[in-house]
Structures are given as structure tokens and as C-alpha cells.
Amino acid sequence: MAFDSIFKADLFQGQTIIVTGGGSGIGRCTAHELAALGAHVILVGRKPEKLQTVAAEISEDGGRASWQACDIRDEEAVKALVSQILQEHGPIHGLVNNAGGQYPSPLASINQKGFETVLRTNLVGGFLMAREVFNQCMSKHGGSIVNMLADMWGGMPGMGHSGAARSGMDNFTKTAAFEWGYAGVRVNAVAPGWIASSGMDTYEGAFKAVIPTLREHVPLKRIGTESEVSAAIVFLLSPAAAFVSGSTLRIDGAASLGSRAWPLHKAQPPSVSFNGFHRAYLPDVLKEEK
């Protein structure tokens, strides 16, 4: 089997695209789709084992992928990473700033170290990757960057550190799009809502118990798939989005809209999901629901 993308098979033929956080979840899915569309994908993350596994999957499916272990929060490491990629693979055509991480906690219980760690992972690291890719390559050759956000439009209770970081990334996306447009560089972002991804299995306790009920708070009455986020990222990287820059595309089934003053209707049959990822699997927390 192969990735069942809605985009033409040679869309990114001959291009090099970096995917941070490519060892799992949405990053893994996106890397698979980009490789299926002809790109040479560079997987970046902190854990070599995960990156090696995904690179092997892509190779088995007939695609091309390399990997580089890097802590994107380390400025000098990021500079060296981008330099090495350019030396080994030539110009970088796209960057998917997907790497991130957070943990559930009320603001009053988050210490300074925890707050700063999440900001460095979800905001500073993405800035460093984008800046170095721009300075070392895209300022001369153009390119496209897609940043990862989240549904933080009404605040992010229980994950205020991540909400602050994602809000900052939204503003960074707009600023970078304006400042770098002269060089033919487009910068956009995606903001997934509740997506059935491996990250759901990292949560415990009360937050874990809530996950199976999330669909009831989505107007489309379901949780999204990794493929639905990947497809949006691919569109923003593609020539079809050549005049789209500085935008954030929400992928949340309209869950970020409305208010309690207008309650959702009782559950009806959910909308039909798109799942083109042949190697996708349902998170354990959602299997328990069944």
C-alpha cells in the first residue's frame, strides 16, 4: 500500500523538505505524504530511533528520506544542522516546523522551568529553524515554511504555556511572511484542533479521561485525522498556495468557533473523515472508547 494523497504524485519531485518532529504523529504522516509526492524528506527530531524508524518506513514505501538528530532549542545546533543539510542535499525548498510538546497543568502549578521549556520547544525552536533556513538558503532561492499551531483562539486553559507559545508562533508567522516576502518566501501556519494522533497517548489522569468525549464538542461531531492536517500542510507548501502567505489555516471542525450561548445540536452521524495514511493507527485512548 502507499499513501493515498489527493495531490499529484510528482508535486514535489526534486525538492528537499525538512520536517521537524518527523518521528511521530502529524510529523510522521506529513513526511510520508511529502515523500509519496516526490520530495526528499529530511526528518529532524531529538530521538534517533524514531527518526530511523520513519525513514525506514518511507524507504519501504519507495520514497526518499534522511534523518538528523537535533535539539532545535539549541541555536548553534540548528545553525550546524541547516548548514549540513545544505552541504549534503542542496537547496531547501520547504520547512515544516512541526516539532513541539507540552503537558497539561493549570497556570498556577506551572513553574518557570516548565513554562520556559514549552516556549523554547514550541516557539523558540521553530523561530531558530525558520531563521536559519531563511538566512542560509531561502533568502537566495525562495521557499515555503509552514508552522504548527493549535486551537488557542479562546485561550488554552490547562495548557497555558503551550497557548502562549502557539499564539507567539501565529504572530511570528505573520511577521516572517511580511519581512521575507521580498525573497519569494511564503510563511503560513496550520492550527489543528483535536486530532487522532499518537500524542493523545502521552496524557494521563483527568485529561486522558476527557479525550474520548472531545468529539461531542466539535460541530462536525468527530475528531480529525492526521491526513487532514497533512493535506493542509501540503497545500500550503504547494504552488497552488503561491499567493497565500501570512495565513493560519484552522483544522478543527469548527470547534474553535461559537459560544455556550449557542449550544451544539445533539449528535448526528459525524461528517466523513479523510484518511489517506496507510500506516496510520488509532491512539490507544480512543480504542478504549470502543
Side-chain angles (χ1 to χ4, degrees):
M1 296 180 65
F3 199 110
D4 186 19
S5 177
I6 66 168
F7 299 95
K8 62 182 182 179
D10 61 347
L11 183 60
F12 298 111
Q13 194 66 43
Q15 295 191 22
T16 298
I17 301 178
I18 299 172
V19 179
T20 68
S24 62
I26 292 170
R28 169 177 172 257
C29 177
T30 302
H32 267 276
E33 182 164 15
L34 291 170
L37 299 174
H40 184 171
V41 179
I42 311 296
L43 304 165
V44 174
R46 287 187 296 154
K47 297 181 178 180
E49 299 80 10
K50 288 186 175 182
L51 302 176
Q52 290 171 345
T53 297
V54 176
E57 291 175 352
I58 290 173
S59 179
E60 289 172 8
D61 293 343
R64 295 182 301 153
S66 303
W67 63 273
Q68 294 284 346
C70 178
D71 184 348
I72 63 170
R73 300 169 298 183
D74 183 331
E75 183 173 25
E76 294 307 315
V78 170
K79 288 181 179 179
L81 168 72
V82 173
S83 177
Q84 182 177 350
I85 290 173
L86 288 170
Q87 291 176 17
E88 295 180 355
H89 305 287
I92 298 166
H93 302 86
L95 166 65
V96 181
N97 250 333
N98 167 76
Q102 56 273 312
Y103 58 92
S105 176
L107 286 174
S109 299
I110 301 174
N111 60 29
Q112 180 177 339
K113 180 179 179 180
F115 195 87
E116 290 179 346
T117 296
V118 171
L119 259 69
R120 288 181 63 213
T121 301
N122 294 352
L123 176 58
V124 177
F127 157 70
L128 291 174
M129 285 295 304
R131 187 197 67 188
E132 285 310 305
V133 166
F134 176 77
N135 283 343
Q136 295 191 41
C137 180
M138 288 188 181
S139 59
K140 309 175 189 67
H141 304 286
S144 179
I145 298 171
V146 180
N147 297 319
M148 181 63 66
L149 275 62
D151 176 4
M152 48 30 172
W153 312 106
M156 208 166 175
M159 287 194 184
H161 42 15
S162 184
R166 307 296 189 174
S167 296
M169 184 56 79
D170 181 59
N171 193 274
F172 168 71
T173 296
K174 294 177 172 62
T175 302
F178 194 89
E179 291 191 5
W180 298 347
Y182 77 92
V185 177
R186 297 184 299 105
V187 187
N188 292 290
V190 294
W194 296 310
I195 305 298
S197 185
S198 58
M200 284 187 165
D201 287 331
T202 64
Y203 300 115
E204 298 293 338
F207 194 83
K208 178 180 179 180
V210 169
I211 290 176
T213 72
L214 293 177
R215 68 185 62 197
E216 298 305 319
H217 302 282
V218 181
L220 290 182
K221 296 299 179 184
R222 66 175 177 86
I223 291 175
T225 69
E226 294 171 335
S227 298
E228 289 169 326
V229 181
S230 178
I233 293 172
V234 169
F235 163 71
L236 290 173
L237 289 172
S238 78
F243 204 54
V244 179
S245 195
S247 296
T248 295
L249 178 57
R250 301 187 192 189
I251 312 163
D252 60 16
S256 59
L257 305 176
S259 70
R260 293 184 180 181
W262 188 270
L264 294 176
H265 287 288
K266 292 183 179 180
Q268 299 290 326
S271 67
V272 177
S273 63
F274 168 68
N275 188 3
F277 188 18
H278 59 300
R279 291 182 181 264
Y281 53 86
L282 192 68
D284 292 337
V285 68
L286 295 179
K287 293 176 184 176
E288 294 173 6
E289 178 191 9
K290 296 181 177 181

